[in-house]
Short mmCIF file of all heavy atoms in Angstrom, two decimals:
data_model
loop_
_atom_site.label_atom_id
_atom_site.label_comp_id
_atom_site.label_asym_id
_atom_site.label_seq_id
_atom_site.Cartn_x
_atom_site.Cartn_y
_atom_site.Cartn_z
N PRO Y 275 24.37 -57.37 -8.33
CA PRO Y 275 25.52 -57.83 -7.52
C PRO Y 275 25.41 -57.36 -6.06
O PRO Y 275 25.71 -58.10 -5.12
CB PRO Y 275 26.73 -57.21 -8.23
CG PRO Y 275 26.24 -56.88 -9.61
CD PRO Y 275 24.75 -56.71 -9.54
N GLU Y 276 24.86 -56.13 -5.85
CA GLU Y 276 24.88 -55.65 -4.47
C GLU Y 276 24.05 -56.56 -3.57
O GLU Y 276 24.34 -56.74 -2.39
CB GLU Y 276 24.38 -54.20 -4.34
CG GLU Y 276 22.94 -53.95 -4.79
CD GLU Y 276 22.87 -53.71 -6.31
OE1 GLU Y 276 23.93 -53.91 -6.97
OE2 GLU Y 276 21.80 -53.45 -6.84
N VAL Y 277 23.00 -57.23 -4.13
CA VAL Y 277 22.25 -58.16 -3.29
C VAL Y 277 23.18 -59.31 -2.91
O VAL Y 277 23.27 -59.73 -1.77
CB VAL Y 277 21.00 -58.70 -4.02
CG1 VAL Y 277 20.38 -59.88 -3.24
CG2 VAL Y 277 19.96 -57.59 -4.17
N HIS Y 278 23.94 -59.75 -3.95
CA HIS Y 278 24.88 -60.87 -3.67
C HIS Y 278 25.80 -60.46 -2.54
O HIS Y 278 25.92 -61.11 -1.51
CB HIS Y 278 25.70 -61.16 -4.92
CG HIS Y 278 24.86 -61.85 -5.94
ND1 HIS Y 278 24.77 -63.20 -6.00
CD2 HIS Y 278 24.01 -61.37 -6.89
CE1 HIS Y 278 23.94 -63.54 -6.97
NE2 HIS Y 278 23.46 -62.44 -7.51
N SER Y 279 26.40 -59.24 -2.71
CA SER Y 279 27.42 -58.84 -1.71
C SER Y 279 26.74 -58.75 -0.35
O SER Y 279 27.32 -59.08 0.68
CB SER Y 279 28.00 -57.48 -2.10
OG SER Y 279 26.90 -56.59 -2.19
N ALA Y 280 25.44 -58.39 -0.37
CA ALA Y 280 24.77 -58.26 0.93
C ALA Y 280 24.80 -59.58 1.67
O ALA Y 280 24.90 -59.65 2.88
CB ALA Y 280 23.31 -57.82 0.71
N PHE Y 281 24.74 -60.68 0.89
CA PHE Y 281 24.69 -61.98 1.57
C PHE Y 281 26.03 -62.67 1.52
O PHE Y 281 26.22 -63.72 2.11
CB PHE Y 281 23.62 -62.86 0.92
CG PHE Y 281 22.23 -62.38 1.24
CD1 PHE Y 281 21.40 -61.85 0.26
CD2 PHE Y 281 21.76 -62.40 2.54
CE1 PHE Y 281 20.14 -61.39 0.55
CE2 PHE Y 281 20.50 -61.93 2.85
CZ PHE Y 281 19.68 -61.42 1.85
N ARG Y 282 27.04 -62.04 0.76
CA ARG Y 282 28.34 -62.76 0.62
C ARG Y 282 28.90 -62.95 2.02
O ARG Y 282 28.78 -62.09 2.89
CB ARG Y 282 29.29 -61.92 -0.25
CG ARG Y 282 30.52 -62.67 -0.72
CD ARG Y 282 31.18 -61.95 -1.89
NE ARG Y 282 30.29 -61.84 -3.06
CZ ARG Y 282 29.87 -62.91 -3.78
NH1 ARG Y 282 30.23 -64.10 -3.42
NH2 ARG Y 282 29.08 -62.76 -4.82
N ALA Y 283 29.46 -64.06 2.21
CA ALA Y 283 30.02 -64.42 3.54
C ALA Y 283 30.99 -63.32 3.97
O ALA Y 283 31.86 -62.91 3.19
CB ALA Y 283 30.73 -65.77 3.45
N GLY Y 284 30.83 -62.80 5.17
CA GLY Y 284 31.71 -61.73 5.66
C GLY Y 284 32.82 -62.34 6.48
O GLY Y 284 32.82 -63.55 6.73
N PRO Y 285 33.82 -61.49 6.86
CA PRO Y 285 34.98 -61.99 7.64
C PRO Y 285 34.48 -62.77 8.85
O PRO Y 285 34.98 -63.84 9.20
CB PRO Y 285 35.74 -60.72 8.03
CG PRO Y 285 34.76 -59.59 7.80
CD PRO Y 285 33.81 -60.06 6.72
N GLU Y 286 33.34 -62.28 9.40
CA GLU Y 286 32.87 -62.98 10.62
C GLU Y 286 32.43 -64.39 10.27
O GLU Y 286 32.28 -65.25 11.13
CB GLU Y 286 31.71 -62.20 11.26
CG GLU Y 286 30.36 -62.30 10.54
CD GLU Y 286 30.31 -61.35 9.33
OE1 GLU Y 286 31.33 -60.68 9.07
OE2 GLU Y 286 29.30 -61.36 8.62
N ASP Y 287 32.23 -64.64 8.96
CA ASP Y 287 31.76 -66.00 8.61
C ASP Y 287 32.92 -66.92 8.37
O ASP Y 287 32.78 -68.13 8.30
CB ASP Y 287 30.91 -65.94 7.34
CG ASP Y 287 29.70 -65.05 7.57
OD1 ASP Y 287 29.21 -65.08 8.69
OD2 ASP Y 287 29.34 -64.30 6.65
#
Side-chain angles (χ1 to χ4, degrees):
E276 61 275 8
V277 169
H278 286 269
S279 57
F281 289 113
R282 193 163 298 294
E286 74 280 2
D287 300 325

